């Protein structure tokens, strides 16, 4: 076989600080002042190091309340769909239409390990439902997975079906604005996930209104 050394740091590849690999898709965060040709060179190096890579994108930022990424193709066929494996589970997604961070896999496993049978859980900004499904795979809990992004809700439903045989709890997917939750859902929740990197604090009043006594907020 051919030995292929894999660089542990992107700085060893092209002098850049890092990248995100989501299945066969790689995403660089744009740094002001770094020329595009350096990202193109880094993309080729990453594709050589990871033979499964199909597309490499440069992320300029995110836009709108759906947090959709602004992506520029720098290498490959431009396919934005991916399937990833995480903690024994499979997730399908489109990186151009939903938010997903594989670096949170350890946190998802940690929160799932804290969940207990019989809990009622609210995943307020669920995305493609990795927190929801991780919890339902570990505990006989009822999880309400909600997001305002229609693409996220679609992939969440797909992922629930994809992992159905691995679930001991159940996941219900609902597309709704988190602000509307108090008038949309009945009852209270024992555990609430608030994985919104830019606006979680703005929804603390909603979470507290829906929390049961002694609830855990993440």
């Amino acid at each position: 076989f051919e030995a292929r050394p894999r660089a542990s740091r992107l700085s060893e590849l092209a002098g850049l600080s890092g990248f995100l690999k989501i299945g066969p898709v790689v995403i660089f965060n744009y740094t002001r002042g770094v020329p595009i040709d350096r990202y193109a060179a880094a993309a080729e190096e990453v594709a050589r190091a990871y033979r499964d890579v199909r597309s490499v994108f440069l992320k300029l930022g995110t836009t709108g309340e759906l947090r959709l990424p602004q992506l520029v193709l720098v290498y490959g066929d431009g396919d934005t769909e991916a399937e990833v494996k995480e903690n024994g589970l499979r997730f399908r997604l489109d990186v151009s239409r939903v938010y997903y961070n594989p670096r949170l896999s350890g946190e998802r496993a940690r929160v799932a390990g804290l969940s207990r049978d019989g809990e009622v859980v609210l995943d307020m900004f669920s995305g493609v439902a990795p927190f929801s499904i991780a919890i339902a795979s570990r505990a006989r809990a009822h999880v309400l997975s909600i997001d305002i992004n229609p693409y996220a809700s679609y992939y969440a439903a797909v992922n629930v079906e994809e992992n159905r045989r691995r679930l001991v709890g159940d996941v219900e997917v609902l597309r709704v604005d988190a602000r509307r939750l108090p008038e949309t859902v009945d009852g209270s929740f024992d555990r609430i996930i608030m994985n919104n990197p830019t606006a979680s604090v703005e929804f603390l009043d909603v979470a507290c209104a829906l929390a049961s006594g002694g609830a855990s907020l993440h």
Side-chain angles (χ1 to χ4, degrees):
F1 60 90
E2 175 191 358
R4 291 185 289 107
R6 177 174 293 177
S8 59
R9 296 177 181 275
L10 189 60
S11 58
E12 299 172 23
L13 297 178
L16 301 175
S17 59
F19 62 91
L20 199 63
K21 186 175 184 296
I22 303 174
V25 178
V26 167
I27 298 175
F28 294 99
N29 281 320
Y30 175 68
T31 300
R32 186 181 299 276
V34 177
I36 295 296
D37 59 353
R38 185 179 296 180
Y39 288 106
E44 292 183 3
E45 292 292 341
V46 168
R48 276 194 284 268
Y50 298 92
R51 295 293 178 88
D52 64 324
V53 169
R54 295 197 314 264
S55 303
V56 181
F57 295 95
L58 181 60
K59 181 180 176 181
L60 304 181
T62 56
T63 181
E65 65 176 349
L66 301 186
R67 296 183 291 161
L68 298 182
Q70 298 171 297
L71 301 178
V72 175
L73 181 67
V74 293
Y75 176 89
D77 61 15
D79 190 355
T80 55
E81 282 206 312
E83 181 177 293
V84 297
K85 298 178 182 178
E86 177 182 306
N87 300 319
L89 303 167
R90 293 176 180 270
F91 298 99
R92 288 175 53 193
L93 63 138
D94 185 328
V95 300
S96 70
R97 298 184 184 274
V98 302
Y99 173 83
Y100 176 82
N101 188 346
R103 293 172 182 153
L104 291 178
S105 62
E107 177 67 1
R108 288 189 273 266
R110 185 189 73 85
V111 172
L114 294 174
S115 302
R116 297 290 178 261
D117 292 349
E119 284 189 347
V120 182
V121 181
L122 173 63
D123 192 356
M124 284 182 69
F125 312 99
S126 67
V128 299
F131 268 104
S132 299
I133 293 171
I135 290 171
S137 73
R138 298 280 292 273
R140 290 178 174 83
H142 174 70
V143 187
L144 180 58
S145 176
I146 75 112
D147 204 290
I148 194 174
N149 184 334
Y151 303 106
S153 295
Y154 165 76
Y155 280 105
V158 167
N159 291 330
V160 170
E161 289 303 315
E162 176 74 20
N163 294 282
R164 179 71 68 184
R165 294 183 179 181
R166 300 176 177 87
L167 304 186
V168 295
D170 65 280
V171 180
E172 178 184 355
V173 177
L174 180 65
R175 185 200 168 212
V176 64
D177 186 342
R179 277 273 162 224
R180 306 279 309 268
L181 279 173
E183 60 194 73
T184 306
V185 301
D186 295 321
S188 58
F189 297 87
D190 305 304
R191 191 175 303 277
I192 300 177
I193 316 298
M194 305 178 70
N195 180 32
N196 185 324
T198 60
S200 289
V201 174
E202 299 174 16
F203 292 86
L204 279 174
D205 58 330
V206 175
C208 290
L210 295 170
S212 63
S216 298
L217 272 61
H218 301 277

